[in-house]
Amino acid sequence: MMIFGHDYFEQPPFYDVKSIDAILATPSNSTLYIEFSPALLDVIEHCKINRLRFALKVNNLKEAVFGHNFNATYLITSRIM
């Protein structure tokens, strides 16, 4: 487990993206941040196919399982599931 968003721990910079075009505007080797949504499945699939590092914000266990299958580098949750 890694803890993000607390002053005690350093974290990699995340780049919030909502489209494939937005990915092209991020620095190379960056970690993308995507909030899980059926509308963003094309962006998530693009990350998987191109082996991009991305953090997926999930809201429940089902979305976490999807994130694992999409090879998300990080699964981000605001609460314990």
Side-chain angles (χ1 to χ4, degrees), residues 55-68:
L56 188 64
K57 170 72 167 78
V58 297
N59 296 305
N60 55 52
L61 185 57
K62 183 178 178 181
E63 292 176 2
V65 171
F66 291 157
H68 175 74

PDB file of all heavy atoms in Angstrom, residues 55-68:
ATOM      1  N   ALA A  55      -2.944   6.205 -12.725  1.00  0.00           N
ATOM      2  CA  ALA A  55      -3.653   5.988 -11.469  1.00  0.00           C
ATOM      3  C   ALA A  55      -5.134   6.079 -11.780  1.00  0.00           C
ATOM      4  O   ALA A  55      -5.572   7.017 -12.443  1.00  0.00           O
ATOM      5  CB  ALA A  55      -3.254   7.044 -10.449  1.00  0.00           C
ATOM      6  N   LEU A  56      -5.889   5.098 -11.325  1.00  0.00           N
ATOM      7  CA  LEU A  56      -7.319   5.070 -11.586  1.00  0.00           C
ATOM      8  C   LEU A  56      -8.064   5.293 -10.283  1.00  0.00           C
ATOM      9  O   LEU A  56      -7.907   4.539  -9.333  1.00  0.00           O
ATOM     10  CB  LEU A  56      -7.720   3.731 -12.208  1.00  0.00           C
ATOM     11  CG  LEU A  56      -9.152   3.618 -12.702  1.00  0.00           C
ATOM     12  CD1 LEU A  56      -9.403   4.597 -13.852  1.00  0.00           C
ATOM     13  CD2 LEU A  56      -9.448   2.197 -13.152  1.00  0.00           C
ATOM     14  N   LYS A  57      -8.859   6.366 -10.237  1.00  0.00           N
ATOM     15  CA  LYS A  57      -9.700   6.667  -9.068  1.00  0.00           C
ATOM     16  C   LYS A  57     -10.935   5.781  -9.153  1.00  0.00           C
ATOM     17  O   LYS A  57     -11.676   5.826 -10.122  1.00  0.00           O
ATOM     18  CB  LYS A  57     -10.088   8.142  -9.078  1.00  0.00           C
ATOM     19  CG  LYS A  57     -11.146   8.537  -8.069  1.00  0.00           C
ATOM     20  CD  LYS A  57     -10.581   8.518  -6.674  1.00  0.00           C
ATOM     21  CE  LYS A  57     -11.488   9.185  -5.672  1.00  0.00           C
ATOM     22  NZ  LYS A  57     -12.618   8.388  -5.246  1.00  0.00           N
ATOM     23  N   VAL A  58     -11.110   4.931  -8.142  1.00  0.00           N
ATOM     24  CA  VAL A  58     -12.246   4.002  -8.123  1.00  0.00           C
ATOM     25  C   VAL A  58     -13.120   4.284  -6.912  1.00  0.00           C
ATOM     26  O   VAL A  58     -12.654   4.794  -5.888  1.00  0.00           O
ATOM     27  CB  VAL A  58     -11.773   2.536  -8.128  1.00  0.00           C
ATOM     28  CG1 VAL A  58     -11.007   2.224  -9.404  1.00  0.00           C
ATOM     29  CG2 VAL A  58     -10.913   2.216  -6.914  1.00  0.00           C
ATOM     30  N   ASN A  59     -14.395   3.932  -7.035  1.00  0.00           N
ATOM     31  CA  ASN A  59     -15.349   4.199  -5.968  1.00  0.00           C
ATOM     32  C   ASN A  59     -15.884   2.944  -5.290  1.00  0.00           C
ATOM     33  O   ASN A  59     -16.553   3.045  -4.268  1.00  0.00           O
ATOM     34  CB  ASN A  59     -16.534   5.001  -6.522  1.00  0.00           C
ATOM     35  CG  ASN A  59     -16.093   6.357  -7.006  1.00  0.00           C
ATOM     36  OD1 ASN A  59     -15.493   7.124  -6.267  1.00  0.00           O
ATOM     37  ND2 ASN A  59     -16.358   6.648  -8.259  1.00  0.00           N
ATOM     38  N   ASN A  60     -15.618   1.787  -5.869  1.00  0.00           N
ATOM     39  CA  ASN A  60     -16.113   0.552  -5.270  1.00  0.00           C
ATOM     40  C   ASN A  60     -15.248  -0.620  -5.723  1.00  0.00           C
ATOM     41  O   ASN A  60     -14.350  -0.469  -6.561  1.00  0.00           O
ATOM     42  CB  ASN A  60     -17.594   0.335  -5.636  1.00  0.00           C
ATOM     43  CG  ASN A  60     -17.837   0.351  -7.123  1.00  0.00           C
ATOM     44  OD1 ASN A  60     -17.189  -0.362  -7.881  1.00  0.00           O
ATOM     45  ND2 ASN A  60     -18.780   1.195  -7.570  1.00  0.00           N
ATOM     46  N   LEU A  61     -15.533  -1.777  -5.166  1.00  0.00           N
ATOM     47  CA  LEU A  61     -14.733  -2.968  -5.445  1.00  0.00           C
ATOM     48  C   LEU A  61     -14.817  -3.374  -6.916  1.00  0.00           C
ATOM     49  O   LEU A  61     -13.820  -3.782  -7.518  1.00  0.00           O
ATOM     50  CB  LEU A  61     -15.187  -4.119  -4.544  1.00  0.00           C
ATOM     51  CG  LEU A  61     -14.385  -5.404  -4.632  1.00  0.00           C
ATOM     52  CD1 LEU A  61     -12.920  -5.163  -4.339  1.00  0.00           C
ATOM     53  CD2 LEU A  61     -14.957  -6.434  -3.678  1.00  0.00           C
ATOM     54  N   LYS A  62     -15.974  -3.253  -7.520  1.00  0.00           N
ATOM     55  CA  LYS A  62     -16.147  -3.608  -8.929  1.00  0.00           C
ATOM     56  C   LYS A  62     -15.216  -2.775  -9.812  1.00  0.00           C
ATOM     57  O   LYS A  62     -14.537  -3.310 -10.691  1.00  0.00           O
ATOM     58  CB  LYS A  62     -17.603  -3.401  -9.335  1.00  0.00           C
ATOM     59  CG  LYS A  62     -17.930  -3.810 -10.749  1.00  0.00           C
ATOM     60  CD  LYS A  62     -19.428  -3.604 -10.999  1.00  0.00           C
ATOM     61  CE  LYS A  62     -19.831  -3.945 -12.397  1.00  0.00           C
ATOM     62  NZ  LYS A  62     -21.269  -3.732 -12.630  1.00  0.00           N
ATOM     63  N   GLU A  63     -15.159  -1.471  -9.571  1.00  0.00           N
ATOM     64  CA  GLU A  63     -14.270  -0.604 -10.340  1.00  0.00           C
ATOM     65  C   GLU A  63     -12.806  -0.938 -10.074  1.00  0.00           C
ATOM     66  O   GLU A  63     -11.974  -0.847 -10.975  1.00  0.00           O
ATOM     67  CB  GLU A  63     -14.553   0.864 -10.027  1.00  0.00           C
ATOM     68  CG  GLU A  63     -15.906   1.329 -10.540  1.00  0.00           C
ATOM     69  CD  GLU A  63     -16.238   2.756 -10.156  1.00  0.00           C
ATOM     70  OE1 GLU A  63     -15.407   3.438  -9.506  1.00  0.00           O
ATOM     71  OE2 GLU A  63     -17.345   3.214 -10.517  1.00  0.00           O
ATOM     72  N   ALA A  64     -12.486  -1.352  -8.850  1.00  0.00           N
ATOM     73  CA  ALA A  64     -11.113  -1.746  -8.515  1.00  0.00           C
ATOM     74  C   ALA A  64     -10.708  -2.996  -9.308  1.00  0.00           C
ATOM     75  O   ALA A  64      -9.585  -3.082  -9.813  1.00  0.00           O
ATOM     76  CB  ALA A  64     -10.977  -1.995  -7.019  1.00  0.00           C
ATOM     77  N   VAL A  65     -11.620  -3.939  -9.446  1.00  0.00           N
ATOM     78  CA  VAL A  65     -11.348  -5.141 -10.238  1.00  0.00           C
ATOM     79  C   VAL A  65     -11.137  -4.757 -11.700  1.00  0.00           C
ATOM     80  O   VAL A  65     -10.217  -5.255 -12.357  1.00  0.00           O
ATOM     81  CB  VAL A  65     -12.483  -6.176 -10.080  1.00  0.00           C
ATOM     82  CG1 VAL A  65     -12.325  -7.327 -11.055  1.00  0.00           C
ATOM     83  CG2 VAL A  65     -12.525  -6.697  -8.645  1.00  0.00           C
ATOM     84  N   PHE A  66     -11.981  -3.854 -12.210  1.00  0.00           N
ATOM     85  CA  PHE A  66     -11.789  -3.378 -13.584  1.00  0.00           C
ATOM     86  C   PHE A  66     -10.413  -2.723 -13.727  1.00  0.00           C
ATOM     87  O   PHE A  66      -9.703  -2.959 -14.707  1.00  0.00           O
ATOM     88  CB  PHE A  66     -12.867  -2.374 -13.983  1.00  0.00           C
ATOM     89  CG  PHE A  66     -14.243  -2.953 -14.136  1.00  0.00           C
ATOM     90  CD1 PHE A  66     -15.353  -2.139 -14.024  1.00  0.00           C
ATOM     91  CD2 PHE A  66     -14.451  -4.295 -14.377  1.00  0.00           C
ATOM     92  CE1 PHE A  66     -16.636  -2.637 -14.176  1.00  0.00           C
ATOM     93  CE2 PHE A  66     -15.727  -4.817 -14.525  1.00  0.00           C
ATOM     94  CZ  PHE A  66     -16.824  -3.982 -14.419  1.00  0.00           C
ATOM     95  N   GLY A  67     -10.040  -1.897 -12.764  1.00  0.00           N
ATOM     96  CA  GLY A  67      -8.746  -1.221 -12.806  1.00  0.00           C
ATOM     97  C   GLY A  67      -7.592  -2.204 -12.844  1.00  0.00           C
ATOM     98  O   GLY A  67      -6.616  -2.013 -13.577  1.00  0.00           O
ATOM     99  N   HIS A  68      -7.700  -3.268 -12.067  1.00  0.00           N
ATOM    100  CA  HIS A  68      -6.668  -4.305 -12.076  1.00  0.00           C
ATOM    101  C   HIS A  68      -6.572  -4.932 -13.465  1.00  0.00           C
ATOM    102  O   HIS A  68      -5.482  -5.157 -13.983  1.00  0.00           O
ATOM    103  CB  HIS A  68      -6.981  -5.360 -11.017  1.00  0.00           C
ATOM    104  CG  HIS A  68      -6.043  -6.514 -11.039  1.00  0.00           C
ATOM    105  ND1 HIS A  68      -4.749  -6.435 -10.582  1.00  0.00           N
ATOM    106  CD2 HIS A  68      -6.211  -7.775 -11.495  1.00  0.00           C
ATOM    107  CE1 HIS A  68      -4.158  -7.597 -10.756  1.00  0.00           C
ATOM    108  NE2 HIS A  68      -5.036  -8.433 -11.311  1.00  0.00           N
TER     109      HIS A  68
END
